[in-house]
Structure formats: C-alpha cells, structure tokens
Amino acid sequence: MNDSRIIVALDFSDQGTALNFAATLDSRLCRIKVGKELFTLAGPQLIEKLMRLGFDVFLDLKFHDIPNTVAAACSVASSLGVWMINVHALGGSKMLLAARQALDGKRTRLIAVTLLTSMNHDDLSELGISGSPEIIVQRLALLAQRCGLDGVVCSALEAASLREKAGKDFWLITPSIRSSNDNRDDQARIATPTMAIRNGASYLVIGRPITRSPDPLKALQRFNDEIVSAL
Ligand code: C5P
C-alpha cells in the first residue's frame, strides 16, 4: 500500500522525458500529477503507461464548464482509471454536484481548485468579485465540501484555517512546497513539508525540488522522511 503524502508534479514538455523520469521514482513512495501541458501532448496513453509503472495518477485538468459537460468529462477521466481529478469550485454548486454524481460509485477522488494563486485582490475586483482572497478561498472550499467533494487544493499557509473549518476528513492538497535549502523557483509563498503537515495538509504537491534534483529518488525519500517525522 502507498501511504506517502507526496504527489510529484510531472511537469515535462515531452512524453519520453516524463516517462523516463517517472521510471526513476518508486511508485510506493509517491503519486504523480499530470497537468494540462503533458496531457494535451501525450493524452490517455501516457496515463496508461504511468499506471502500468504502478503509479496512482492525479489528472490535474481543472474542469470548468456547464454541469453536463463537466460531468461527462469527469466520467471519461475516471474511466481512464486515474486516482484523482479536479474541477474549479468557481463553476458553482450545480457543476460541483454534477461532477460528484458522475463519480458516484467510482474509485476516482474529486477535489476542487478554489482561487488560482495567480489572482490577487485587484484581479478579483476587475471581475466584480469583492472580499479578500482568503475569505473567498474559504467560502469556495466549504462550498466544495457541501457538494460532497473530497477536498481542495490550497496553499499550505491557508491549510491551518481550512482544516479548522472543514474538519479532519476533508483533503487539503498543498503545492508550493520547498525544503529550507531548496531554490524557491517562481513560487512566492512557500512552505516546508513540516509546516504543511503541521497545518493539516493531506497531500503535498512537489515538482522541481524532485524533478530537477540530481538524485530524484533520494530527494523524494528525504521529503518522505521529513513528512513522516512531522506527522
Ligand atoms: O515545481 P513546483 O514544486 O513549484 O510545482 C508545483 C506544481 O503545483 C506545479 O505543477 C504547479 O502548476 C502546481 N500548482 C502550484 N500552485 C498552485 C496550484 C498548483 O504551484 N496554486
């Protein structure tokens, strides 16, 4: 059984490199996230190959459309056999409920993206959305929970207050993770694995600190060790 809390972001721009990289990891020590770029390029065949290597796959396509279309897309994604998919909470409760219903009885887990971290207060005002990003994130996360979703993607820095509001069983999936000595890359608000776990994160999405490491498997093991000692 895989009890690792790490989801490695497989952010590569070609299938061969992505698969070769995945093969250097150990499917008992992590899960894998495939996003829009790689999926658009390599499609369901890549997912199948990753699953054949033993990985649980999080297909990060962030569906956002009318309820009927999102439900159909969720159903097809689930039939690929992926472990988890996501939708935008901003699609509203009808869309979230339709997505949830499409996965009833299936093993695929469903989470929501609340606000994109690229959106600041001014971007939201421009769209006519008032209130602080923190409050909006909280409202969208609780909406996703009421609609029966399994969790949300959120910053590790927001996880503590969401954990308090949403209770212990709601999954909080946190990106922007860096060890204290890692390069921050383009991430502005980072947290260490220890901080993320202490704030109540369920799974940590980690990309470049593992994918760009000279020894990815060792980096993965180091992250897992840090997480285990923070639990
Ligand atoms: O390489 P790095 O660890 O920064 O990668 C983080 C992954 O998490 C990327 O795939 C990125 O798109 C994703 N992500 C993020 N911030 C969010 C949501 C997703 O960095 N708010």
Side-chain angles (χ1 to χ4, degrees), residues 7-11 33-35 60 62 86 113 115-118 153-155 173-178 183-187 190 205-212:
I7 303 171
V8 176
L10 200 60
D11 292 326
K33 175 171 94 69
V34 173
D60 177 21
K62 302 186 181 71
N86 58 1
V113 174
L115 274 189
L116 295 171
T117 43
S118 52
V153 180
C154 67
S155 135
I173 317 290
T174 63
S176 309
I177 300 295
R178 294 292 183 272
N183 186 335
R184 299 172 77 106
D185 301 302
D186 55 354
Q187 297 284 15
I190 54 172
V205 175
I206 309 177
R208 286 161 290 183
I210 293 174
T211 58
R212 302 229 177 132

PDB file of all heavy atoms in Angstrom, residues 7-11 33-35 60 62 86 113 115-118 153-155 173-178 183-187 190 205-212, ligand 1:
ATOM      1  N   ILE A   7       2.751  13.978  -3.860  1.00  0.00           N
ATOM      2  CA  ILE A   7       2.324  13.880  -5.254  1.00  0.00           C
ATOM      3  C   ILE A   7       3.387  14.621  -6.063  1.00  0.00           C
ATOM      4  O   ILE A   7       3.567  15.834  -5.894  1.00  0.00           O
ATOM      5  CB  ILE A   7       0.954  14.548  -5.467  1.00  0.00           C
ATOM      6  CG1 ILE A   7      -0.109  13.922  -4.551  1.00  0.00           C
ATOM      7  CG2 ILE A   7       0.542  14.452  -6.937  1.00  0.00           C
ATOM      8  CD1 ILE A   7      -1.446  14.659  -4.549  1.00  0.00           C
ATOM      9  N   VAL A   8       4.125  13.900  -6.908  1.00  0.00           N
ATOM     10  CA  VAL A   8       5.174  14.544  -7.698  1.00  0.00           C
ATOM     11  C   VAL A   8       4.534  15.156  -8.953  1.00  0.00           C
ATOM     12  O   VAL A   8       3.834  14.471  -9.701  1.00  0.00           O
ATOM     13  CB  VAL A   8       6.276  13.534  -8.105  1.00  0.00           C
ATOM     14  CG1 VAL A   8       7.309  14.206  -9.009  1.00  0.00           C
ATOM     15  CG2 VAL A   8       6.949  12.945  -6.871  1.00  0.00           C
ATOM     16  N   ALA A   9       4.763  16.472  -9.159  1.00  0.00           N
ATOM     17  CA  ALA A   9       4.228  17.161 -10.346  1.00  0.00           C
ATOM     18  C   ALA A   9       5.131  16.835 -11.529  1.00  0.00           C
ATOM     19  O   ALA A   9       6.287  17.257 -11.590  1.00  0.00           O
ATOM     20  CB  ALA A   9       4.194  18.662 -10.097  1.00  0.00           C
ATOM     21  N   LEU A  10       4.590  16.055 -12.472  1.00  0.00           N
ATOM     22  CA  LEU A  10       5.372  15.609 -13.629  1.00  0.00           C
ATOM     23  C   LEU A  10       5.290  16.679 -14.717  1.00  0.00           C
ATOM     24  O   LEU A  10       4.632  16.504 -15.736  1.00  0.00           O
ATOM     25  CB  LEU A  10       4.782  14.271 -14.121  1.00  0.00           C
ATOM     26  CG  LEU A  10       5.635  13.357 -14.982  1.00  0.00           C
ATOM     27  CD1 LEU A  10       6.901  12.926 -14.262  1.00  0.00           C
ATOM     28  CD2 LEU A  10       4.831  12.122 -15.401  1.00  0.00           C
ATOM     29  N   ASP A  11       5.928  17.819 -14.465  1.00  0.00           N
ATOM     30  CA  ASP A  11       5.834  18.953 -15.388  1.00  0.00           C
ATOM     31  C   ASP A  11       6.957  18.893 -16.424  1.00  0.00           C
ATOM     32  O   ASP A  11       7.972  19.591 -16.295  1.00  0.00           O
ATOM     33  CB  ASP A  11       5.880  20.274 -14.600  1.00  0.00           C
ATOM     34  CG  ASP A  11       4.633  20.460 -13.751  1.00  0.00           C
ATOM     35  OD1 ASP A  11       3.551  20.020 -14.177  1.00  0.00           O
ATOM     36  OD2 ASP A  11       4.742  21.033 -12.654  1.00  0.00           O
ATOM     37  N   LYS A  33       1.299  13.673 -10.501  1.00  0.00           N
ATOM     38  CA  LYS A  33       0.328  14.617 -11.063  1.00  0.00           C
ATOM     39  C   LYS A  33       0.676  14.906 -12.525  1.00  0.00           C
ATOM     40  O   LYS A  33       1.813  15.276 -12.830  1.00  0.00           O
ATOM     41  CB  LYS A  33       0.364  15.930 -10.263  1.00  0.00           C
ATOM     42  CG  LYS A  33      -0.536  17.012 -10.850  1.00  0.00           C
ATOM     43  CD  LYS A  33      -0.636  18.209  -9.919  1.00  0.00           C
ATOM     44  CE  LYS A  33       0.355  19.316 -10.209  1.00  0.00           C
ATOM     45  NZ  LYS A  33       0.120  20.038 -11.464  1.00  0.00           N
ATOM     46  N   VAL A  34      -0.318  14.754 -13.392  1.00  0.00           N
ATOM     47  CA  VAL A  34      -0.148  15.109 -14.807  1.00  0.00           C
ATOM     48  C   VAL A  34      -1.044  16.307 -15.077  1.00  0.00           C
ATOM     49  O   VAL A  34      -2.243  16.272 -14.792  1.00  0.00           O
ATOM     50  CB  VAL A  34      -0.531  13.926 -15.719  1.00  0.00           C
ATOM     51  CG1 VAL A  34      -0.512  14.347 -17.181  1.00  0.00           C
ATOM     52  CG2 VAL A  34       0.417  12.750 -15.494  1.00  0.00           C
ATOM     53  N   GLY A  35      -0.468  17.365 -15.632  1.00  0.00           N
ATOM     54  CA  GLY A  35      -1.221  18.592 -15.860  1.00  0.00           C
ATOM     55  C   GLY A  35      -1.596  18.792 -17.317  1.00  0.00           C
ATOM     56  O   GLY A  35      -1.411  17.910 -18.170  1.00  0.00           O
ATOM     57  N   ASP A  60      -4.646  16.569 -13.406  1.00  0.00           N
ATOM     58  CA  ASP A  60      -4.899  17.951 -12.981  1.00  0.00           C
ATOM     59  C   ASP A  60      -5.350  18.782 -14.184  1.00  0.00           C
ATOM     60  O   ASP A  60      -4.577  19.553 -14.745  1.00  0.00           O
ATOM     61  CB  ASP A  60      -3.582  18.489 -12.388  1.00  0.00           C
ATOM     62  CG  ASP A  60      -3.645  19.941 -11.963  1.00  0.00           C
ATOM     63  OD1 ASP A  60      -4.761  20.451 -11.748  1.00  0.00           O
ATOM     64  OD2 ASP A  60      -2.567  20.556 -11.841  1.00  0.00           O
ATOM     65  N   LYS A  62      -8.416  20.581 -14.138  1.00  0.00           N
ATOM     66  CA  LYS A  62      -9.217  21.708 -13.619  1.00  0.00           C
ATOM     67  C   LYS A  62     -10.413  22.010 -14.510  1.00  0.00           C
ATOM     68  O   LYS A  62     -10.538  23.095 -15.082  1.00  0.00           O
ATOM     69  CB  LYS A  62      -8.359  22.974 -13.482  1.00  0.00           C
ATOM     70  CG  LYS A  62      -7.149  22.829 -12.573  1.00  0.00           C
ATOM     71  CD  LYS A  62      -6.445  24.160 -12.384  1.00  0.00           C
ATOM     72  CE  LYS A  62      -5.212  24.059 -11.514  1.00  0.00           C
ATOM     73  NZ  LYS A  62      -4.081  23.363 -12.141  1.00  0.00           N
ATOM     74  N   ASN A  86      -9.734  17.022 -10.790  1.00  0.00           N
ATOM     75  CA  ASN A  86     -10.185  18.257 -10.140  1.00  0.00           C
ATOM     76  C   ASN A  86     -11.026  19.123 -11.065  1.00  0.00           C
ATOM     77  O   ASN A  86     -11.001  18.975 -12.286  1.00  0.00           O
ATOM     78  CB  ASN A  86      -8.992  19.042  -9.548  1.00  0.00           C
ATOM     79  CG  ASN A  86      -7.948  19.409 -10.569  1.00  0.00           C
ATOM     80  OD1 ASN A  86      -8.087  19.112 -11.751  1.00  0.00           O
ATOM     81  ND2 ASN A  86      -6.890  20.044 -10.135  1.00  0.00           N
ATOM     82  N   VAL A 113     -10.331  23.229  -7.166  1.00  0.00           N
ATOM     83  CA  VAL A 113      -9.413  24.365  -7.067  1.00  0.00           C
ATOM     84  C   VAL A 113     -10.291  25.515  -6.584  1.00  0.00           C
ATOM     85  O   VAL A 113     -11.400  25.690  -7.081  1.00  0.00           O
ATOM     86  CB  VAL A 113      -8.852  24.705  -8.469  1.00  0.00           C
ATOM     87  CG1 VAL A 113      -8.010  25.964  -8.431  1.00  0.00           C
ATOM     88  CG2 VAL A 113      -8.071  23.536  -9.007  1.00  0.00           C
ATOM     89  N   LEU A 115      -9.439  29.498  -5.504  1.00  0.00           N
ATOM     90  CA  LEU A 115      -8.971  30.621  -6.323  1.00  0.00           C
ATOM     91  C   LEU A 115      -7.588  30.289  -6.818  1.00  0.00           C
ATOM     92  O   LEU A 115      -6.769  29.764  -6.057  1.00  0.00           O
ATOM     93  CB  LEU A 115      -8.829  31.872  -5.457  1.00  0.00           C
ATOM     94  CG  LEU A 115     -10.031  32.760  -5.222  1.00  0.00           C
ATOM     95  CD1 LEU A 115      -9.557  34.024  -4.517  1.00  0.00           C
ATOM     96  CD2 LEU A 115     -10.752  33.100  -6.514  1.00  0.00           C
ATOM     97  N   LEU A 116      -7.295  30.620  -8.060  1.00  0.00           N
ATOM     98  CA  LEU A 116      -5.929  30.425  -8.543  1.00  0.00           C
ATOM     99  C   LEU A 116      -5.014  31.348  -7.739  1.00  0.00           C
ATOM    100  O   LEU A 116      -5.370  32.510  -7.487  1.00  0.00           O
ATOM    101  CB  LEU A 116      -5.845  30.770 -10.033  1.00  0.00           C
ATOM    102  CG  LEU A 116      -6.643  29.855 -10.957  1.00  0.00           C
ATOM    103  CD1 LEU A 116      -6.657  30.413 -12.380  1.00  0.00           C
ATOM    104  CD2 LEU A 116      -6.070  28.446 -10.946  1.00  0.00           C
ATOM    105  N   THR A 117      -3.855  30.851  -7.364  1.00  0.00           N
ATOM    106  CA  THR A 117      -2.956  31.694  -6.555  1.00  0.00           C
ATOM    107  C   THR A 117      -2.387  32.858  -7.368  1.00  0.00           C
ATOM    108  O   THR A 117      -1.797  33.774  -6.814  1.00  0.00           O
ATOM    109  CB  THR A 117      -1.791  30.863  -5.980  1.00  0.00           C
ATOM    110  OG1 THR A 117      -1.325  30.001  -6.999  1.00  0.00           O
ATOM    111  CG2 THR A 117      -2.223  30.062  -4.780  1.00  0.00           C
ATOM    112  N   SER A 118      -2.586  32.807  -8.689  1.00  0.00           N
ATOM    113  CA  SER A 118      -2.118  33.923  -9.520  1.00  0.00           C
ATOM    114  C   SER A 118      -3.054  35.133  -9.408  1.00  0.00           C
ATOM    115  O   SER A 118      -2.731  36.217  -9.891  1.00  0.00           O
ATOM    116  CB  SER A 118      -2.027  33.468 -10.972  1.00  0.00           C
ATOM    117  OG  SER A 118      -3.250  32.880 -11.371  1.00  0.00           O
ATOM    118  N   VAL A 153      -7.497  22.036  -3.399  1.00  0.00           N
ATOM    119  CA  VAL A 153      -6.097  22.444  -3.497  1.00  0.00           C
ATOM    120  C   VAL A 153      -5.983  23.765  -2.751  1.00  0.00           C
ATOM    121  O   VAL A 153      -6.831  24.641  -2.931  1.00  0.00           O
ATOM    122  CB  VAL A 153      -5.696  22.686  -4.971  1.00  0.00           C
ATOM    123  CG1 VAL A 153      -4.226  23.113  -5.069  1.00  0.00           C
ATOM    124  CG2 VAL A 153      -5.953  21.454  -5.811  1.00  0.00           C
ATOM    125  N   CYS A 154      -5.001  23.919  -1.892  1.00  0.00           N
ATOM    126  CA  CYS A 154      -4.844  25.210  -1.207  1.00  0.00           C
ATOM    127  C   CYS A 154      -3.385  25.408  -0.837  1.00  0.00           C
ATOM    128  O   CYS A 154      -2.599  24.464  -0.862  1.00  0.00           O
ATOM    129  CB  CYS A 154      -5.714  25.276   0.046  1.00  0.00           C
ATOM    130  SG  CYS A 154      -5.214  24.147   1.339  1.00  0.00           S
ATOM    131  N   SER A 155      -3.059  26.640  -0.508  1.00  0.00           N
ATOM    132  CA  SER A 155      -1.691  26.910  -0.065  1.00  0.00           C
ATOM    133  C   SER A 155      -1.503  26.310   1.327  1.00  0.00           C
ATOM    134  O   SER A 155      -2.438  26.293   2.140  1.00  0.00           O
ATOM    135  CB  SER A 155      -1.475  28.428  -0.039  1.00  0.00           C
ATOM    136  OG  SER A 155      -0.812  28.802   1.142  1.00  0.00           O
ATOM    137  N   ILE A 173      -4.825  19.629  -0.335  1.00  0.00           N
ATOM    138  CA  ILE A 173      -3.705  19.272  -1.208  1.00  0.00           C
ATOM    139  C   ILE A 173      -2.882  20.543  -1.397  1.00  0.00           C
ATOM    140  O   ILE A 173      -3.401  21.532  -1.939  1.00  0.00           O
ATOM    141  CB  ILE A 173      -4.215  18.787  -2.594  1.00  0.00           C
ATOM    142  CG1 ILE A 173      -5.424  17.848  -2.477  1.00  0.00           C
ATOM    143  CG2 ILE A 173      -3.098  18.220  -3.448  1.00  0.00           C
ATOM    144  CD1 ILE A 173      -5.155  16.495  -1.922  1.00  0.00           C
ATOM    145  N   THR A 174      -1.635  20.528  -0.964  1.00  0.00           N
ATOM    146  CA  THR A 174      -0.881  21.785  -0.941  1.00  0.00           C
ATOM    147  C   THR A 174       0.345  21.779  -1.861  1.00  0.00           C
ATOM    148  O   THR A 174       1.273  20.985  -1.673  1.00  0.00           O
ATOM    149  CB  THR A 174      -0.414  22.111   0.504  1.00  0.00           C
ATOM    150  OG1 THR A 174       0.479  21.094   0.941  1.00  0.00           O
ATOM    151  CG2 THR A 174      -1.582  22.175   1.460  1.00  0.00           C
ATOM    152  N   PRO A 175       0.363  22.670  -2.870  1.00  0.00           N
ATOM    153  CA  PRO A 175       1.572  22.880  -3.682  1.00  0.00           C
ATOM    154  C   PRO A 175       2.493  23.933  -3.035  1.00  0.00           C
ATOM    155  O   PRO A 175       2.288  24.299  -1.875  1.00  0.00           O
ATOM    156  CB  PRO A 175       1.014  23.368  -5.016  1.00  0.00           C
ATOM    157  CG  PRO A 175      -0.297  23.970  -4.706  1.00  0.00           C
ATOM    158  CD  PRO A 175      -0.784  23.437  -3.375  1.00  0.00           C
ATOM    159  N   SER A 176       3.471  24.415  -3.793  1.00  0.00           N
ATOM    160  CA  SER A 176       4.444  25.434  -3.324  1.00  0.00           C
ATOM    161  C   SER A 176       5.222  24.954  -2.104  1.00  0.00           C
ATOM    162  O   SER A 176       5.330  25.657  -1.106  1.00  0.00           O
ATOM    163  CB  SER A 176       3.764  26.758  -2.973  1.00  0.00           C
ATOM    164  OG  SER A 176       2.944  27.175  -4.019  1.00  0.00           O
ATOM    165  N   ILE A 177       5.730  23.741  -2.191  1.00  0.00           N
ATOM    166  CA  ILE A 177       6.495  23.157  -1.077  1.00  0.00           C
ATOM    167  C   ILE A 177       7.989  23.235  -1.396  1.00  0.00           C
ATOM    168  O   ILE A 177       8.423  22.890  -2.499  1.00  0.00           O
ATOM    169  CB  ILE A 177       6.092  21.675  -0.880  1.00  0.00           C
ATOM    170  CG1 ILE A 177       4.597  21.544  -0.571  1.00  0.00           C
ATOM    171  CG2 ILE A 177       6.949  21.013   0.198  1.00  0.00           C
ATOM    172  CD1 ILE A 177       4.138  22.162   0.725  1.00  0.00           C
ATOM    173  N   ARG A 178       8.757  23.692  -0.442  1.00  0.00           N
ATOM    174  CA  ARG A 178      10.215  23.723  -0.585  1.00  0.00           C
ATOM    175  C   ARG A 178      10.844  23.372   0.757  1.00  0.00           C
ATOM    176  O   ARG A 178      10.357  23.806   1.797  1.00  0.00           O
ATOM    177  CB  ARG A 178      10.710  25.128  -0.987  1.00  0.00           C
ATOM    178  CG  ARG A 178      10.280  25.602  -2.381  1.00  0.00           C
ATOM    179  CD  ARG A 178      10.944  24.797  -3.487  1.00  0.00           C
ATOM    180  NE  ARG A 178      10.614  25.247  -4.832  1.00  0.00           N
ATOM    181  CZ  ARG A 178       9.552  24.826  -5.542  1.00  0.00           C
ATOM    182  NH1 ARG A 178       8.704  23.954  -5.020  1.00  0.00           N
ATOM    183  NH2 ARG A 178       9.340  25.257  -6.759  1.00  0.00           N
ATOM    184  N   ASN A 183      15.862  25.825  -3.855  1.00  0.00           N
ATOM    185  CA  ASN A 183      15.607  27.003  -4.675  1.00  0.00           C
ATOM    186  C   ASN A 183      14.091  27.272  -4.655  1.00  0.00           C
ATOM    187  O   ASN A 183      13.295  26.351  -4.793  1.00  0.00           O
ATOM    188  CB  ASN A 183      16.062  26.633  -6.104  1.00  0.00           C
ATOM    189  CG  ASN A 183      16.003  27.783  -7.052  1.00  0.00           C
ATOM    190  OD1 ASN A 183      15.237  28.728  -6.849  1.00  0.00           O
ATOM    191  ND2 ASN A 183      16.816  27.716  -8.092  1.00  0.00           N
ATOM    192  N   ARG A 184      13.684  28.545  -4.525  1.00  0.00           N
ATOM    193  CA  ARG A 184      12.236  28.856  -4.494  1.00  0.00           C
ATOM    194  C   ARG A 184      11.617  28.812  -5.884  1.00  0.00           C
ATOM    195  O   ARG A 184      10.415  28.811  -6.033  1.00  0.00           O
ATOM    196  CB  ARG A 184      12.022  30.285  -3.953  1.00  0.00           C
ATOM    197  CG  ARG A 184      12.502  30.509  -2.567  1.00  0.00           C
ATOM    198  CD  ARG A 184      12.420  31.987  -2.216  1.00  0.00           C
ATOM    199  NE  ARG A 184      11.057  32.387  -1.921  1.00  0.00           N
ATOM    200  CZ  ARG A 184      10.608  32.632  -0.710  1.00  0.00           C
ATOM    201  NH1 ARG A 184      11.409  32.517   0.328  1.00  0.00           N
ATOM    202  NH2 ARG A 184       9.367  33.005  -0.522  1.00  0.00           N
ATOM    203  N   ASP A 185      12.431  28.846  -6.929  1.00  0.00           N
ATOM    204  CA  ASP A 185      11.959  28.971  -8.315  1.00  0.00           C
ATOM    205  C   ASP A 185      11.025  30.180  -8.400  1.00  0.00           C
ATOM    206  O   ASP A 185      11.350  31.214  -7.881  1.00  0.00           O
ATOM    207  CB  ASP A 185      11.294  27.665  -8.790  1.00  0.00           C
ATOM    208  CG  ASP A 185      12.253  26.478  -8.717  1.00  0.00           C
ATOM    209  OD1 ASP A 185      13.304  26.570  -9.359  1.00  0.00           O
ATOM    210  OD2 ASP A 185      11.979  25.496  -8.016  1.00  0.00           O
ATOM    211  N   ASP A 186       9.839  30.007  -9.057  1.00  0.00           N
ATOM    212  CA  ASP A 186       8.936  31.155  -9.201  1.00  0.00           C
ATOM    213  C   ASP A 186       7.847  31.172  -8.124  1.00  0.00           C
ATOM    214  O   ASP A 186       6.867  31.888  -8.254  1.00  0.00           O
ATOM    215  CB  ASP A 186       8.289  31.140 -10.593  1.00  0.00           C
ATOM    216  CG  ASP A 186       7.578  29.817 -10.881  1.00  0.00           C
ATOM    217  OD1 ASP A 186       7.687  28.890 -10.056  1.00  0.00           O
ATOM    218  OD2 ASP A 186       6.923  29.715 -11.914  1.00  0.00           O
ATOM    219  N   GLN A 187       7.988  30.368  -7.082  1.00  0.00           N
ATOM    220  CA  GLN A 187       6.953  30.309  -6.052  1.00  0.00           C
ATOM    221  C   GLN A 187       7.190  31.411  -5.030  1.00  0.00           C
ATOM    222  O   GLN A 187       8.277  31.533  -4.473  1.00  0.00           O
ATOM    223  CB  GLN A 187       6.977  28.942  -5.343  1.00  0.00           C
ATOM    224  CG  GLN A 187       6.666  27.765  -6.246  1.00  0.00           C
ATOM    225  CD  GLN A 187       5.182  27.635  -6.565  1.00  0.00           C
ATOM    226  OE1 GLN A 187       4.396  28.556  -6.348  1.00  0.00           O
ATOM    227  NE2 GLN A 187       4.794  26.496  -7.098  1.00  0.00           N
ATOM    228  N   ILE A 190       5.967  30.019  -0.104  1.00  0.00           N
ATOM    229  CA  ILE A 190       6.300  28.605   0.025  1.00  0.00           C
ATOM    230  C   ILE A 190       6.148  28.138   1.479  1.00  0.00           C
ATOM    231  O   ILE A 190       6.086  28.947   2.397  1.00  0.00           O
ATOM    232  CB  ILE A 190       7.745  28.322  -0.437  1.00  0.00           C
ATOM    233  CG1 ILE A 190       8.722  29.241   0.309  1.00  0.00           C
ATOM    234  CG2 ILE A 190       7.892  28.473  -1.926  1.00  0.00           C
ATOM    235  CD1 ILE A 190      10.171  28.891   0.053  1.00  0.00           C
ATOM    236  N   VAL A 205       1.995  18.574  -3.054  1.00  0.00           N
ATOM    237  CA  VAL A 205       2.402  18.507  -4.462  1.00  0.00           C
ATOM    238  C   VAL A 205       3.805  19.098  -4.566  1.00  0.00           C
ATOM    239  O   VAL A 205       4.017  20.261  -4.203  1.00  0.00           O
ATOM    240  CB  VAL A 205       1.442  19.310  -5.365  1.00  0.00           C
ATOM    241  CG1 VAL A 205       1.949  19.330  -6.805  1.00  0.00           C
ATOM    242  CG2 VAL A 205       0.039  18.723  -5.316  1.00  0.00           C
ATOM    243  N   ILE A 206       4.744  18.295  -5.029  1.00  0.00           N
ATOM    244  CA  ILE A 206       6.133  18.768  -5.134  1.00  0.00           C
ATOM    245  C   ILE A 206       6.634  18.508  -6.547  1.00  0.00           C
ATOM    246  O   ILE A 206       6.552  17.382  -7.045  1.00  0.00           O
ATOM    247  CB  ILE A 206       7.050  18.054  -4.113  1.00  0.00           C
ATOM    248  CG1 ILE A 206       6.444  18.136  -2.699  1.00  0.00           C
ATOM    249  CG2 ILE A 206       8.455  18.664  -4.129  1.00  0.00           C
ATOM    250  CD1 ILE A 206       7.246  17.402  -1.635  1.00  0.00           C
ATOM    251  N   GLY A 207       7.106  19.578  -7.202  1.00  0.00           N
ATOM    252  CA  GLY A 207       7.617  19.435  -8.561  1.00  0.00           C
ATOM    253  C   GLY A 207       9.127  19.552  -8.617  1.00  0.00           C
ATOM    254  O   GLY A 207       9.862  18.590  -8.363  1.00  0.00           O
ATOM    255  N   ARG A 208       9.597  20.756  -8.957  1.00  0.00           N
ATOM    256  CA  ARG A 208      11.018  20.952  -9.258  1.00  0.00           C
ATOM    257  C   ARG A 208      12.012  20.496  -8.201  1.00  0.00           C
ATOM    258  O   ARG A 208      13.083  19.989  -8.573  1.00  0.00           O
ATOM    259  CB  ARG A 208      11.251  22.411  -9.660  1.00  0.00           C
ATOM    260  CG  ARG A 208      10.718  22.686 -11.069  1.00  0.00           C
ATOM    261  CD  ARG A 208      10.503  24.150 -11.335  1.00  0.00           C
ATOM    262  NE  ARG A 208       9.377  24.666 -10.573  1.00  0.00           N
ATOM    263  CZ  ARG A 208       8.927  25.899 -10.648  1.00  0.00           C
ATOM    264  NH1 ARG A 208       9.522  26.775 -11.438  1.00  0.00           N
ATOM    265  NH2 ARG A 208       7.884  26.284  -9.943  1.00  0.00           N
ATOM    266  N   PRO A 209      11.708  20.621  -6.898  1.00  0.00           N
ATOM    267  CA  PRO A 209      12.706  20.122  -5.935  1.00  0.00           C
ATOM    268  C   PRO A 209      12.986  18.630  -6.113  1.00  0.00           C
ATOM    269  O   PRO A 209      14.048  18.152  -5.714  1.00  0.00           O
ATOM    270  CB  PRO A 209      12.051  20.394  -4.576  1.00  0.00           C
ATOM    271  CG  PRO A 209      11.127  21.533  -4.825  1.00  0.00           C
ATOM    272  CD  PRO A 209      10.598  21.319  -6.222  1.00  0.00           C
ATOM    273  N   ILE A 210      12.056  17.897  -6.756  1.00  0.00           N
ATOM    274  CA  ILE A 210      12.311  16.480  -7.047  1.00  0.00           C
ATOM    275  C   ILE A 210      12.692  16.300  -8.518  1.00  0.00           C
ATOM    276  O   ILE A 210      13.702  15.672  -8.831  1.00  0.00           O
ATOM    277  CB  ILE A 210      11.077  15.615  -6.689  1.00  0.00           C
ATOM    278  CG1 ILE A 210      10.869  15.627  -5.167  1.00  0.00           C
ATOM    279  CG2 ILE A 210      11.261  14.181  -7.193  1.00  0.00           C
ATOM    280  CD1 ILE A 210       9.611  14.945  -4.673  1.00  0.00           C
ATOM    281  N   THR A 211      11.916  16.918  -9.438  1.00  0.00           N
ATOM    282  CA  THR A 211      12.176  16.662 -10.872  1.00  0.00           C
ATOM    283  C   THR A 211      13.520  17.235 -11.332  1.00  0.00           C
ATOM    284  O   THR A 211      14.111  16.741 -12.279  1.00  0.00           O
ATOM    285  CB  THR A 211      11.060  17.238 -11.762  1.00  0.00           C
ATOM    286  OG1 THR A 211      10.950  18.641 -11.524  1.00  0.00           O
ATOM    287  CG2 THR A 211       9.724  16.577 -11.505  1.00  0.00           C
ATOM    288  N   ARG A 212      13.995  18.304 -10.669  1.00  0.00           N
ATOM    289  CA  ARG A 212      15.273  18.902 -11.099  1.00  0.00           C
ATOM    290  C   ARG A 212      16.416  18.510 -10.180  1.00  0.00           C
ATOM    291  O   ARG A 212      17.519  19.056 -10.280  1.00  0.00           O
ATOM    292  CB  ARG A 212      15.148  20.427 -11.121  1.00  0.00           C
ATOM    293  CG  ARG A 212      14.035  20.873 -12.039  1.00  0.00           C
ATOM    294  CD  ARG A 212      14.459  21.959 -13.001  1.00  0.00           C
ATOM    295  NE  ARG A 212      13.363  22.292 -13.891  1.00  0.00           N
ATOM    296  CZ  ARG A 212      12.963  23.516 -14.157  1.00  0.00           C
ATOM    297  NH1 ARG A 212      13.576  24.539 -13.604  1.00  0.00           N
ATOM    298  NH2 ARG A 212      11.962  23.729 -14.995  1.00  0.00           N
TER     299      ARG A 212
HETATM  300  O1  C5P B   1       7.860  22.804  -9.276  1.00  0.00           O
HETATM  301  P1  C5P B   1       6.890  23.165  -8.208  1.00  0.00           P
HETATM  302  O2  C5P B   1       7.053  22.375  -6.925  1.00  0.00           O
HETATM  303  O3  C5P B   1       6.789  24.641  -7.964  1.00  0.00           O
HETATM  304  O4  C5P B   1       5.499  22.693  -8.846  1.00  0.00           O
HETATM  305  C1  C5P B   1       4.269  22.829  -8.203  1.00  0.00           C
HETATM  306  C2  C5P B   1       3.162  22.229  -9.018  1.00  0.00           C
HETATM  307  O5  C5P B   1       1.935  22.595  -8.389  1.00  0.00           O
HETATM  308  C3  C5P B   1       3.067  22.730 -10.452  1.00  0.00           C
HETATM  309  O6  C5P B   1       2.539  21.667 -11.266  1.00  0.00           O
HETATM  310  C4  C5P B   1       2.082  23.853 -10.373  1.00  0.00           C
HETATM  311  O7  C5P B   1       1.379  24.069 -11.552  1.00  0.00           O
HETATM  312  C5  C5P B   1       1.146  23.343  -9.270  1.00  0.00           C
HETATM  313  N1  C5P B   1       0.432  24.407  -8.538  1.00  0.00           N
HETATM  314  C6  C5P B   1       1.062  25.450  -7.891  1.00  0.00           C
HETATM  315  N2  C5P B   1       0.341  26.397  -7.234  1.00  0.00           N
HETATM  316  C7  C5P B   1      -0.991  26.311  -7.192  1.00  0.00           C
HETATM  317  C8  C5P B   1      -1.651  25.276  -7.816  1.00  0.00           C
HETATM  318  C9  C5P B   1      -0.895  24.312  -8.491  1.00  0.00           C
HETATM  319  O8  C5P B   1       2.280  25.526  -7.896  1.00  0.00           O
HETATM  320  N3  C5P B   1      -1.674  27.212  -6.521  1.00  0.00           N
END
